[in-house]
Amino acid sequence: MVEAVSAGIGLGANLGDCAATLRQALQGIAALPGTQLLRQSSLYRSAPVAATGPDYVNAVAEILTTLSPQALLQALQNLEHAAGRERPYRNAPRTLDLDILWWGELQLHTPTLTVPHPRMHERAFVLLPLAEIAPERVTPEQLRAVQGQRVERLG
C-alpha cells in the first residue's frame, strides 16, 4: 500500500470564465485517483507577473495523494488540456495553469518538474492564498517581500 503525501497545488487562469474554471479544476483534482482535497483557499485576483494579458484569478489547494510527483504532474496537465490550455509561448495567457507547489518533503529537480516550486515564495498570488489555508508554510518575511504585488481576495 502506498502512503498518502500532502501536496500543494497552485491554480491560476486569465482567459475565459476564470472563477468557474478554477472551481471545475478543484473538482477535477478532488476526483484524481488516490487523492483527497484537504483545503482550498479563496479566489484571488492578481496582475500577471513576468507576463502580459488580463488579470489572473488564483487559488491554492492542499491535497493528500498517493500519486507520485510525476503522475500528479501528468494528471494536472490532463486537467489543463481538458480546460483548453495551450502553450504557444512561455508565460502566455492561459485558460488554466496548475502547478505543484510541494509534494511532501521531497526536493526534486528534473527537466519537467521542480519541487518545491522554485518561485512560489516570490509570488503574492501564491503566498496569500497559501497563508489562508496553511499559515505555517508562509513566513512574515516572505509576505513582506511580496507586499508590492497587487493581489486582492475575491468575495
Side-chain angles (χ1 to χ4, degrees), residues 42 68 78 119 138:
S42 301
S68 71
N78 290 344
R119 292 171 303 284
V138 181

Side-chain angles (χ1 to χ4, degrees), residues 11-71:
L11 300 90
N14 72 337
L15 295 177
D17 185 344
C18 300
T21 298
L22 294 192
R23 285 191 286 275
Q24 186 174 8
L26 286 163
Q27 291 175 351
I29 291 167
L32 294 176
T35 300
Q36 177 186 358
L37 181 62
L38 296 178
R39 298 183 274 190
Q40 67 189 55
S41 74
S42 301
L43 300 180
Y44 290 75
R45 181 185 334 275
S46 66
V49 174
T52 59
D55 283 356
Y56 276 83
V57 175
N58 299 97
V60 169
E62 182 178 7
I63 61 173
L64 201 57
T65 188
T66 58
L67 295 174
S68 71
Q70 293 79 8

Side-chain angles (χ1 to χ4, degrees), residues 57-103:
V57 175
N58 299 97
V60 169
E62 182 178 7
I63 61 173
L64 201 57
T65 188
T66 58
L67 295 174
S68 71
Q70 293 79 8
L72 179 58
L73 176 64
Q74 184 60 57
L76 296 177
Q77 288 176 340
N78 290 344
L79 291 172
E80 289 176 341
H81 181 73
R85 169 79 187 260
E86 295 178 358
R87 299 174 188 267
Y89 55 89
R90 183 171 168 77
N91 294 329
R94 53 205 69 173
T95 54
L96 181 61
D97 185 30
L98 300 173
D99 291 326
I100 300 174
L101 302 176
W102 75 87
W103 191 93

